Amino acid sequence: MNTNKLSARLATVADHVPTGARLADIGSDHAYLPCYLAKNKGIPYAIAGEVAEGPCQLAERNVLAEGLSDVISVRLGDGLEVIQNGEVDCITIAGMGGALIASILENGKEKLTSVKRLVLQPNISAISIRNWFINNNWELVAEEILEEDGKIYEVLIGEKGDPYKPYKNNKTMGLLVGPYLVQKQGQTFKKKWRTEMKNWQRIYEALEGAAQSPENIEKKQEILEKIKLAEEALSYEDS
Ligand code: SAM
């Protein structure tokens, strides 16, 4: 991967950044994504935010090497604190857990006033982001799922709107597996949820063999509910 050729995961994120957007890429690490977008998609302005010094220096070096310092401002800081109010209209956050992404959005809510689109790529727990969208009036407008190097990734795109719109009859299932992904029923989607189900079944069996404490019983119940939702998702037919 470099600033001309992104991984399939980051290329999918890039595909959903509108041409000409003023972007903040939070947790930018190497800054490949903003560099790629500046070179290939007419991004006139971007902030590459990084909380860790090493990756921030790497981002700075890459931006300098590409001659993009006039377009991309590399900033050291936690989450959305690197953005001034009104500075950007699109934010990307990729390659972290969904709970961390949701907490970055939650802690920087006041910076979202001018933001029209969020493009988020959680490595795990996409449900945390779908829940955050529901609680903060962001509408999930599109979802992608892809496999790269044996790992399955989801990309969630949000815009301000009606947070309940994507969820038809089974909101609980939609929040877990994705309301658009369940309708598409692609091979990667099926692989993900068959694998998750197998993992949960293994955990359930291990819990069955352990002492039946109240916590154990509650955990088993939670797992059974998730297995049921995944089963429903895999046999979903659009009505
Ligand atoms: N976004 C790149 C990608 O998808 O390839 C880098 C992903 S890397 C695994 C996650 C990066 O997020 C790390 O460089 C880490 O330091 C940074 N990070 C984690 N928490 C952060 C936060 N609260 N604010 C800014 N950056 C953060």
Side-chain angles (χ1 to χ4, degrees), residues 9-10 26-30 50-52 55 77-79 94-96 100 104:
R9 173 181 65 81
L10 279 183
I26 303 300
S28 203
D29 194 349
H30 30 61
E50 237 311 319
V51 77
D78 186 355
M96 305 175 203
L100 177 56
I104 288 174

Side-chain angles (χ1 to χ4, degrees), residues 63-75:
V63 169
L64 258 177
E66 295 292 342
L68 289 169
S69 301
D70 288 349
V71 179
I72 304 171
S73 165
V74 180
R75 299 180 190 173

